[in-house]
Amino acid sequence: MVENLIIRDGSPMIPETIDRLFADIANINRESMAEMQDSQIEEMAVNLWNWAIIKKGALGLSEEQSAKLRHVACKLVCMCEGSAASEEAIQRQILMNLKTGKGWVDGGNAVIADEFFQAAMAGLEKLYVKLMQSCSTEFHVTMQKTATERDVFRVLSYQAESAVVQQDFQRASTCVLRCKDMLIRLPKMSGYLHILCYSFGIEAYKQNKYEESSFWLRQSYDTGKMDKFSVPQEMLGKVLRLLATAYMDWDGKEYYKALSAVNLANKEHLTPGGLSLKMKILLKYETAKEEFLGAIMEILHRDMSLDFCLSIAKLLMYHERESLGSYFLKIICEHFKSSENIGKALLFHVEVLLQRKEELLATEKIEEIIIAHQTGRQLTTELVGCLHNILWKKAAKSFQVEDYADALHWYCCSLRLYACDQTYLDFARLQRNMAACYLHLEQFDKAKEAVTEAERCDPTNIFTKFYVFKMAILEGNSDRALQAIAPSENLLRAEEQEENDVVTNRSLVSMFLNLAAQLALQNEQQIVAEKALEYLAQYSEDGQEVIIALKCLLRLVVPKVSHMPESENKKKQMDRLLTCLNTALPKFAQYFDGEVSTSGSRTNEAHWFRKIAWNLAVQCNKDPVTMREFFIISYKLSQFCPSDQAVLIAQKTCLIVASAVDLEKGRKASTISEQTMLLNRALDQIHKCRDIWNLLKETGDFSSDPCETLLLLYEFEVKAKMNDPLLDSFLEPMWELPHLESKTLETIASLAMEMPAHYPCIALKALKKALFLHKKKESVDVLRYSKCMRSLINLLVPDGVPNEELCPLEEIWGCCEDALSLISHTEGYPETEILWLMIKSWNIGIFMYSSNKYMSSEKWCGLALRFLDHLGSLKRSYETQIHVLYSELLETLNKKKGPLVNEECCWNR
C-alpha cells in the first residue's frame, strides 16, 4: 500500500488509501511483519514520512491527512525499536513522535497527540540513559544534558498546547510552569514561552475565561521580562493591557490589579490605548474625583493628540460623568487653542452645552465660533457641515415642540455661517426650513422671500416645489399652484432621482401630491385639488393610495358634471371621469388579487365605484358609446363584489346595454372588419350575460323580465349577420318555446332579412308563427297584425311583377283571405293596409290575365273588389276607376279575344 501510494502520487484514490493505511496500522505489530527486516521497515517508514512532507503542498493534503501519514510512518519506525537501538534511531523516533503529535494538535485531535508526546518523553528518558553511559568527560555530559532538556522543553510545551485544546487548564499550567522552571538553564526559550502563553491568554479571554486568561498573561509577561533583547517593550505593554482588560472584565474586586496592570503597561510602553484603558477602568469602579483628575492631567502631560483628548471627554460624557467631561473639555479648548483643529473641540463643547441645556452659553460659544470663522480662523468644510448639523438638530427639536421662533433663531445662525462659506451646498434646504418657520409665525412676506431664494438655488427639488405650491395656494394663485405640481409627472416617472438633500422617489412625490390636494381643498382651490389627485392616481404605485385619490376626485367632479348641460365641455369631463375609472380598475385587480374579498371595507369600495360608473352611464343616454364604456366598467367593478341578487341584476343590465350598443354600431359599421369586431364583442358579452341570467333565475321569479328574449334576439342577429352555418340549429329549440311572443317573432323575421343577413325561410317561418299567435288572442292587435301580414306577403310576393314559379299563389291567397276575414269581423284595421292588399290582389289578377289564366285573373281581381268594399274615406278615390277596369276586364274575358291587357292596367303604389 505504501509503495502504491508513493508511486501513484497523482491518483484520485490517495485520500481513500490514506484512510485505509491509518485504519490498518492499529492492527499491525512487529510479529505480523516478521518476514521483513527492521531496515526494510525503517526504509519504508522514512520514505512514507518524506513523501508526506513533500506532497503536502503539492497535492493539497489536509492537516488531518498529513497527520495520518506521519502517524503510520511513526508507528512503523517504533516497531523496530529494541533494547539495542542506536542513539541515532532513538533520536529519530523522538523527532517523529514530536512532529506527529504536533500534527495531530494542528489537525484538531489532541487526544491522539498525547500518545505520541508520551512516547517522545519516554524516548528522551531512554536516550538520556544511553548518553550518560557513553559520555567520557564532564563537558560532554553537560552538553548532552542541555540538548536533552531542550527536547524535554519542546515536549512539555506541545503537551501544554494539547491540554489547552482539551480545555485541561490544570495539566496545561503544570506543563508551562515546568517549562518556566527550565528557563534558568534555557534562557533563549523565554521568547518562545512568552508568545505561547500570550496566545493561550488570548484564547481564554475570547472564551470569557478571565481567570485562566489572567494566569497565562502573567506568565507571558514574566517570561517576556526574562529576555529583554528578543521581546520588545511594545509587546510587554500589549500583554499588560490585555491583562488589565481581563482583570476589569473578570470581577469588580480585581480593580486594583487591573489598575496596576495598566499603569505598568503605560510604564513599559505608553500608547493612547493604554491611557484610554486606564480611564475605562476608573469609570467602571467607584473612583474618587481626584484619581480622575490625575488621569486627565496625565493625558495632557503626555502630549496626546486633540482627537484622543476629545475621545476621552466623550467617554466621560457617555459614562455620565458630565461635570468631569465638561471640565476636561474646557481644559482641552484652552490647551489646544492655537491648534488649527481647535474647531473640533469647540463644536464638541457646543454639543455638550446644548445637551446640558445650557443654551445661553451654547449661543455665546456659537457666536464666538461664527465671528472667528468670519474674521480669519475658518473652520474646515467638514466642521462647517458639523456645525450646521448641530444647529439644524436643535432647530428641528424646537420645531417639533412648536417653538417656531426658537427654531428660526438656530436656522438664522446657520444662515450667517453660510454667508461666509460658499462651499456649503444645502442653502436651499435651509431656506425651505426657514420658510416653514415664517409660515407658522404668519410672517408671509419673509416666508415668500425664503421660498423665492430656495427656488433660485434648487428649483427642481420636490420640497422646494411644495413650498412654492403652498405660497401660491395661500395667495390664491391657482395658475402658479398648478405649475408647481405639473412637473411632478416627470419625477413620478423616474424610478429614483438624487437631489441635493434627499433621494426623491415615487413615494415622496406621492406624499407631496397628497399634501397638495389637502392644502388646496382647505383653501377652497378645487381645480388645483382635482389636478393633484389626478396626478397622484395616474402615477402612484400604491394601489390603495390610488383608489383613495380617485374616490376623492370623483366626489369632487361627479356632482359638478351631473349639473352641466349637454355640451362639448361636459363630454370632456365625462371622458375624464372615464379615465379615472379605468385607472381604478387595475388597482382593484391588484387589491383583490384575483379573488372576491370578504373584507367589508374592500367590498364597500368596489360597490361605491361600480355605482358611480352606473350613474354616469345613465347620464350618457345621448352618447351610447360613452354609456357603454361606463356600463362595462361598472360590470368589471361588480366582479369584485359578492354575487348577490342586486349585483347579478346590475351585471345583467350592464352587459345587455353594452351588447345593444355594439349591435347598433355594428349595423352602421363602415367596414367589414369593424363590423366583425363589434359583433364578436357583442357575442362575448351575450354569453357572459346568459351565464349571469342562469344564476339570477335561481334567486327568484323573473318571469316578467325580457332578458331571455333580448339575449335570444341579440345572439340571433349576430349569428345571422356573421352568416353562422349553425344558425338553423340555434333556432330549433327556440321554435318550441311555449312563451314565445309574436313581437319577438316579428323581430326575428326583420333581422333575418336585414343586410348583410338574408334568410327568407327563417323570416317566413317567424312571421307565420307570429300571425298564428296574433289570431289566438282574444283581442287581436289589428295594427301589428296588419304590419305582420304585409311583411309576410312581401316575402311571398317580392316587389315588381309576380313570378308564378317563385311565388306560392295559394299561400298568398290564404293570407289575403285571413286578412279579409279579420277585416270583416274586426274594427280598426288600418285603411292604408287594406288599400295595399287590394292593390296587391289586383296586380296578381292582372299578372294572371297576362299569363292567359283568365279564371285566376277574375278570381284575384274579384278579391281586390272585396277589399275595396272595406275601404273608408279612400273608397271614393278608387271605386269608380276599379269598377270601370273590372267591367272592361270581364268584357274582355267574355270575348276571349283581342289584345291582351298590358302592364299599364296594373296599379303601382
Side-chain angles (χ1 to χ4, degrees):
M1 287 173 64
V2 170
E3 286 175 357
N4 289 334
L5 181 67
I6 293 172
I7 293 169
R8 302 173 186 174
D9 60 1
S11 171
M13 301 296 291
I14 287 176
E16 184 180 339
T17 305
I18 292 173
D19 290 340
R20 187 178 169 190
L21 274 171
F22 178 69
D24 288 352
I25 195 66
N27 302 319
I28 294 174
N29 54 34
R30 187 66 187 89
E31 287 74 16
S32 63
M33 300 177 70
E35 73 279 3
M36 295 182 68
Q37 299 293 324
D38 284 351
S39 59
Q40 291 177 305
I41 296 174
E42 285 183 356
E43 182 182 0
M44 178 175 61
V46 169
N47 287 339
L48 181 61
W49 181 276
N50 292 337
W51 185 86
I53 293 172
I54 294 169
K55 297 299 181 180
K56 180 179 180 183
L59 297 179
L61 299 179
S62 67
E63 292 287 348
E64 183 182 8
Q65 288 172 330
S66 180
K68 285 180 178 179
L69 290 171
R70 290 185 175 187
H71 182 107
V72 173
C74 188
K75 285 290 186 182
L76 289 171
V77 167
C78 290
M79 287 180 189
C80 303
E81 69 178 1
S83 57
S86 65
E87 293 177 8
E88 183 183 353
I90 296 172
Q91 286 176 341
R92 182 167 58 241
Q93 290 172 10
I94 292 168
L95 177 64
M96 292 176 77
N97 275 305
L98 271 176
K99 291 196 173 182
T100 302
K102 187 68 167 68
W104 276 121
V105 171
D106 296 339
N109 198 328
V111 175
I112 297 178
D114 285 343
E115 175 189 341
F116 290 92
F117 294 144
Q118 289 168 9
M121 191 65 81
L124 283 169
E125 291 173 0
K126 192 175 182 180
L127 178 63
Y128 182 75
V129 171
K130 272 189 171 291
L131 289 172
M132 291 299 101
Q133 291 173 353
S134 62
C135 289
S136 57
T137 64
E138 188 176 344
F139 174 75
H140 216 166
V141 171
T142 304
M143 281 184 61
Q144 294 300 337
K145 280 186 176 181
T146 303
T148 304
E149 277 199 319
R150 188 180 296 108
D151 288 337
V152 170
F153 184 94
R154 287 178 65 194
V155 174
L156 288 170
S157 67
Y158 287 168
Q159 286 180 322
E161 276 191 74
S162 177
V164 167
V165 171
Q166 297 176 66
Q167 299 189 3
D168 188 346
F169 172 71
Q170 190 63 41
R171 184 157 63 92
S173 60
T174 300
C175 291
V176 166
L177 290 174
R178 284 185 63 186
C179 289
K180 188 177 178 183
D181 291 341
M182 297 169 71
L183 290 177
I184 299 172
R185 296 180 297 280
L186 301 170
K188 292 183 179 180
M189 300 301 292
S190 59
Y192 168 77
L193 190 60
H194 157 73
I195 294 298
L196 185 67
C197 291
Y198 180 66
S199 64
F200 290 168
I202 291 175
E203 286 301 315
Y205 182 81
K206 288 179 180 177
Q207 297 173 29
N208 299 328
K209 297 178 179 180
Y210 303 119
E211 185 175 5
E212 291 181 18
S213 177
S214 62
F215 170 81
W216 294 123
L217 293 169
R218 285 198 307 272
Q219 302 309 315
S220 177
Y221 176 70
D222 289 345
T223 54
K225 288 287 285 183
M226 294 179 183
D227 189 356
K228 295 182 180 180
F229 298 104
S230 61
V231 180
Q233 296 293 104
E234 181 180 353
M235 187 63 194
L236 292 175
K238 189 176 181 179
V239 172
L240 289 167
R241 285 194 296 275
L242 183 56
L243 177 60
T245 305
Y247 281 134
M248 180 174 66
D249 295 339
W250 177 14
D251 192 352
K253 296 177 181 178
E254 305 300 325
Y255 163 66
Y256 289 108
K257 288 183 180 179
L259 193 60
S260 175
V262 76
N263 284 333
L264 188 56
N266 291 337
K267 184 178 179 181
E268 290 284 356
H269 182 256
L270 182 67
T271 62
L275 293 172
S276 178
L277 179 60
K278 181 177 180 179
M279 189 62 70
K280 288 176 183 177
I281 293 169
L282 293 173
L283 285 167
K284 186 168 183 178
Y285 303 100
E286 296 295 330
T287 307
K289 186 176 180 180
E290 290 73 18
E291 288 191 63
F292 275 111
L293 293 175
I296 288 171
M297 297 313 296
E298 181 184 5
I299 291 170
L300 291 173
H301 292 152
R302 297 287 189 176
D303 291 330
M304 292 290 111
S305 68
L306 173 61
D307 287 339
F308 176 75
C309 292
L310 288 176
S311 70
I312 296 299
K314 290 176 183 178
L315 189 66
L316 290 167
M317 297 290 184
Y318 179 78
H319 285 84
E320 299 179 356
R321 298 294 182 106
E322 289 87 354
S323 59
L324 277 171
S326 182
Y327 171 74
F328 186 36
L329 194 53
K330 290 178 183 178
I331 296 174
I332 291 171
C333 291
E334 181 63 28
H335 185 77
F336 290 96
K337 63 183 177 181
S338 58
S339 171
E340 60 180 11
N341 293 321
I342 186 59
K344 291 183 181 180
L346 295 173
L347 291 185
F348 182 57
H349 196 187
V350 169
E351 283 189 273
V352 170
L353 291 172
L354 289 174
Q355 287 172 4
R356 299 182 68 181
K357 301 190 183 304
E358 297 179 18
E359 293 189 3
L360 186 60
L361 290 174
T363 303
E364 291 176 1
K365 186 62 67 175
I366 290 169
E367 188 70 23
E368 290 175 12
I369 294 171
I370 293 174
I371 292 171
H373 186 68
Q374 291 172 336
T375 56
R377 295 195 64 184
Q378 292 191 348
L379 299 172
T380 63
T381 303
E382 181 184 357
L383 291 177
V384 169
C386 291
L387 182 53
H388 279 297
N389 287 335
I390 293 169
L391 296 171
W392 285 25
K393 284 180 182 178
K394 181 59 184 171
K397 288 180 180 178
S398 297
F399 194 92
Q400 287 174 356
V401 297
E402 300 181 3
D403 190 350
Y404 304 114
D406 188 59
L408 189 60
H409 162 73
W410 298 111
Y411 283 133
C412 286
C413 289
S414 180
L415 183 63
R416 287 177 59 202
L417 189 64
Y418 177 82
C420 59
D421 182 46
Q422 297 301 318
T423 61
Y424 185 59
L425 301 177
D426 233 351
F427 180 67
R429 184 181 175 193
L430 175 61
Q431 292 291 348
R432 291 194 298 269
N433 293 341
M434 292 179 68
C437 295
Y438 284 129
L439 285 172
H440 282 290
L441 294 170
E442 299 184 357
Q443 298 179 23
F444 297 111
D445 291 339
K446 291 185 178 180
K448 188 174 181 180
E449 289 176 10
V451 170
T452 302
E453 194 64 22
E455 189 177 20
R456 180 185 65 80
C457 298
D458 197 2
T460 60
N461 185 279
I462 191 68
F463 294 110
T464 301
K465 289 185 175 299
F466 176 73
Y467 280 105
V468 170
F469 174 83
K470 190 169 186 177
M471 291 305 304
I473 288 294
L474 294 174
E475 292 174 348
N477 190 340
S478 299
D479 293 338
R480 176 74 166 143
L482 288 171
Q483 287 174 6
I485 60 173
S488 302
E489 291 184 73
N490 297 327
L491 290 170
L492 281 162
R493 288 193 186 102
E495 287 297 323
E496 193 174 88
Q497 180 177 350
E498 188 171 345
E499 298 293 345
N500 289 344
D501 55 338
V502 294
V503 175
T504 303
N505 52 34
R506 298 178 75 92
S507 60
L508 186 60
V509 180
S510 296
M511 182 182 69
F512 163 46
L513 291 171
N514 256 317
L515 292 173
Q518 293 175 29
L519 190 61
L521 286 174
Q522 288 169 1
N523 289 271
E524 300 179 356
Q525 296 281 342
Q526 184 170 328
I527 293 174
V528 179
E530 289 174 12
K531 201 63 182 175
L533 291 168
E534 209 166 341
Y535 284 145
L536 180 59
Q538 192 172 358
Y539 297 110
S540 174
E541 291 182 337
D542 185 338
Q544 177 67 15
E545 187 176 57
V546 170
I547 289 172
I548 293 171
L550 288 171
K551 192 171 184 179
C552 295
L553 179 59
L554 290 169
R555 280 177 168 166
L556 292 173
V557 179
V558 170
K560 184 170 60 175
V561 174
S562 299
H563 294 92
M564 290 174 69
E566 294 297 330
S567 62
E568 187 63 28
N569 187 35
K570 182 172 182 177
K571 177 69 170 66
K572 289 180 181 178
Q573 291 298 319
M574 282 293 186
D575 290 342
R576 181 186 180 193
L577 293 172
L578 192 60
T579 301
C580 291
L581 290 168
N582 275 321
T583 303
L585 197 56
K587 301 303 179 183
F588 271 103
Q590 296 172 11
Y591 200 27
F592 288 94
D593 195 21
E595 298 179 1
V596 176
S597 174
T598 55
S599 167
S601 60
R602 292 187 177 186
T603 301
N604 290 339
E605 293 284 13
H607 273 303
W608 190 89
F609 274 90
R610 80 167 181 85
K611 289 176 182 178
I612 288 291
W614 176 284
N615 292 336
L616 290 170
V618 172
Q619 293 180 38
C620 294
N621 57 324
K622 294 183 180 179
D623 184 358
V625 175
T626 306
M627 178 175 66
R628 177 199 176 278
E629 296 302 318
F630 279 121
F631 271 129
I632 286 295
I633 291 175
S634 182
Y635 162 72
K636 290 179 178 178
L637 288 166
S638 70
Q639 291 179 303
F640 301 112
C641 305
S643 297
D644 56 23
Q645 190 182 76
V647 169
L648 290 172
I649 291 172
Q651 290 178 339
K652 176 206 71 171
T653 306
C654 290
L655 291 171
I656 285 179
V657 174
S659 301
V661 172
D662 283 339
L663 287 172
E664 182 61 29
K665 288 178 68 181
R667 296 180 193 118
K668 300 175 182 177
S670 57
T671 64
I672 294 176
S673 61
E674 181 188 1
Q675 185 183 57
T676 302
M677 183 275 292
L678 290 166
L679 293 176
N680 278 324
R681 190 166 73 178
L683 187 62
D684 180 59
Q685 291 160 177
I686 291 164
H687 289 161
K688 289 178 181 176
C689 189
R690 181 167 280 113
D691 292 338
I692 292 168
W693 173 243
N694 290 334
L695 291 173
L696 189 58
K697 286 189 292 186
E698 296 175 2
T699 66
D701 181 14
F702 291 90
S703 55
S704 60
D705 194 310
C707 178
E708 188 91 50
T709 302
L710 289 173
L711 292 175
L712 175 68
L713 293 173
Y714 289 169
E715 187 166 2
F716 173 75
E717 180 177 357
V718 172
K719 290 180 178 292
K721 287 181 177 173
M722 294 181 71
N723 197 22
D724 191 330
L726 300 177
L727 185 60
D728 288 329
S729 300
F730 167 73
L731 286 174
E732 279 180 11
M734 183 205 73
W735 302 126
E736 307 302 325
L737 291 175
H739 302 297
L740 203 61
E741 295 184 354
S742 57
K743 185 177 180 181
T744 304
L745 292 164
E746 291 166 22
T747 306
I748 289 173
S750 175
L751 293 172
M753 297 302 292
E754 188 177 275
M755 292 296 292
H758 184 73
Y759 295 93
C761 292
I762 293 174
L764 284 171
K765 190 172 184 178
L767 289 171
K768 288 175 184 178
K769 282 187 171 289
L771 287 170
F772 175 76
L773 291 175
H774 276 302
K775 289 190 292 184
K776 280 179 64 177
K777 294 179 181 177
E778 293 183 5
S779 176
V780 180
D781 186 338
V782 290
L783 181 62
R784 287 180 56 194
Y785 178 90
S786 65
K787 290 181 179 178
C788 186
M789 180 60 75
R790 182 170 183 165
S791 298
L792 177 60
I793 294 173
N794 264 335
L795 279 172
L796 294 171
V797 188
D799 292 338
V801 179
N803 187 326
E804 189 175 359
E805 294 179 0
L806 299 175
C807 300
L809 294 178
E810 289 185 11
E811 191 173 349
I812 299 169
W813 178 268
C815 290
C816 290
E817 285 288 355
D818 286 345
L820 192 59
S821 174
L822 184 67
I823 292 168
S824 302
H825 296 91
T826 308
E827 295 182 358
Y829 203 98
E831 190 175 12
T832 54
E833 293 301 316
I834 297 173
L835 177 62
W836 183 86
L837 289 168
M838 181 192 77
I839 293 172
K840 201 71 166 175
S841 302
W842 180 265
N843 286 343
I844 293 172
I846 296 303
F847 171 73
M848 293 292 116
Y849 181 83
S850 65
S851 303
N852 297 323
K853 294 184 178 182
Y854 304 117
M855 294 299 292
S856 294
S857 175
E858 181 181 1
K859 177 181 174 182
W860 279 102
C861 290
L863 181 62
L865 289 175
R866 290 163 66 189
F867 280 118
L868 177 65
D869 291 340
H870 292 284
L871 287 176
S873 59
L874 295 173
K875 187 175 182 180
R876 285 187 180 182
S877 303
Y878 291 93
E879 186 175 21
T880 302
Q881 185 181 5
I882 198 167
H883 276 295
V884 170
L885 291 172
Y886 186 66
S887 297
E888 292 176 358
L889 178 64
L890 289 177
E891 185 179 345
T892 304
L893 289 172
N894 289 332
K895 292 179 180 179
K896 296 184 180 180
K897 60 181 179 179
L900 295 176
V901 179
N902 57 27
E903 280 186 85
E904 293 177 359
C905 297
C906 296
W907 292 353
N908 293 297
R909 181 173 178 79

